[in-house]
Amino acid sequence: MHNPGSTANPERFPAQDRLADGAQFIAGRLTKGTSGRSHTVVDPATGEEVYTYDLAGADDVDAAVAAARAAFPGWAGATPGERSDALHRFAAVLAERAEEFARAESLQCGKPLKLTREFDVPGTIDNTAFFAGAARHLQGQAAGEYSGDHTSYVRREPIGVVGSIAPWNYPLQMAAWKILPAVAAGNTIVLKPAELTPLTSLLFAQAATDAGIPDGVINIVTGTGRVAGERLVGHPDVAMTSFTGSTAVGKRVAELATATVKRLHLELGGKAPFVVFDDADLEAAANGAVAGALINTGQDCTAATRAYVQRPLYEAFVERTAALMETVRLGDPFAPGTDLGPLVSHAQRDRVAGFVDRARGYARVVTGGEAPGGDLGKGAYYRPTLVTGAAQDSEIVQSEIFGPVLVVLPFDSDDEGIRLANDTPYGLAASAWTGGVYRAGRATREIKAGCVWINDHIPIISEMPHGGYKASGFGKDMSAYSFDEYTQVKHVMFDNTAVARKDWHRTVFGDR
């Protein structure tokens, strides 16, 4: 691996020297991967190479799992207060390095700096502070004499070594969502970030070590899914797998995890509906649709992708949403006037363009639908795109695009609107827009999704769970509910009678 400082602009990547020793973080230090293959992180805004590293091989995964296994007894045996204190120190280190994290995230992902500064990094710091507090509230059910002759209580215990795989769209936040509840509950972890975007995951693990979290508690292996990912999921010493990514890959992860009967947590794809009833505030709905569809250039599993608008508002909604989309400013992610950056790669840009180009045969592209030229031509940019006239069963309505594309369809009755909202395999997130309390209540009850917003779309908070229904997977990130994913529940039962021969023994031998 060559020194990334030779290729990256220090202003865009001020933390580059922290990663000069390799992209594998094992037992508290950076090392080089041993696969014999390298990978280059590319700035998607310019197409320039910014960081080249050696990919992890199976031996690196084995070493990381061994480090996590060795660290587990000490970390699991720490008191909740000790783990809490360590996580509070971790949050403080993250806050000190906030600008470094924001710039590294913008560099590798193409996110506008205002997004990483105002959303990704503060959200991650808040998650860390939340789990620092939650670590002290890992509780089981209170003791009681439920059988009459025994006292029962429930222990919540850590599972062991967790092997997690995070996606490229929110690499910093996804690293936090995987790592924090696991370690707060007393587990140790090996995380595999996407090879496209490893920078902030590595910086996150370094910050944890600098905050005093013991070596081996948090480990990072940066490699391909086929080599490092499959080795991690199938490793016999990994007790749990948590995966965020596409539904197709999630099925493969489930197959591998099932072979060793691992605990499994899957947060998979989404195709979030955005249901606008005829009593909605049109301006609020149009603004919400543009923001909800375009955040992170649409590379968000909860992004608004299917807007269903009741017929009386349909034409006005299309007109206003298209007009707002045309005001969105594409540009350099580090420029203060930029609203929308590129997609994560040229391959992802071309994938999104393919969906839109195929849709031209059966639908209308109202605005967008093209990559810009000029100064932005070298980057993986794609204009905000609004599509109408598509059928409910068409590819652009049913499939996850993961780009700045919103499809708008009309509906007539409330029944139809909710039916259409539920009419995809996914069920991660949704929103409903209405001034009516009964309509809002019905939408929250009947839309099958893990999160339903009313008169807003996208906001998340550390105290509330994130996870889906149906093909969007199962299990929860964030919140106290995530402890359910990362703990074993143990029933402990004490005899209170001191009687040698219990009455129930007669079912095996003797009479009453």
Side-chain angles (χ1 to χ4, degrees), residues 420-431:
L420 292 171
N422 286 327
D423 185 28
T424 71
Y426 301 105
L428 186 58
S431 65

Side-chain angles (χ1 to χ4, degrees), residues 153-175:
Y153 69 89
V154 170
R155 290 176 56 87
R156 300 277 295 279
E157 298 180 347
I159 295 171
V161 177
V162 178
S164 292
I165 300 176
W168 48 256
N169 58 331
Y170 288 101
L172 176 59
Q173 287 201 311
M174 294 298 99

Side-chain angles (χ1 to χ4, degrees), residues 427-444:
L428 186 58
S431 65
W433 298 73
T434 176
V437 65
Y438 295 109
R439 268 178 164 164
R442 181 185 180 189
T444 63

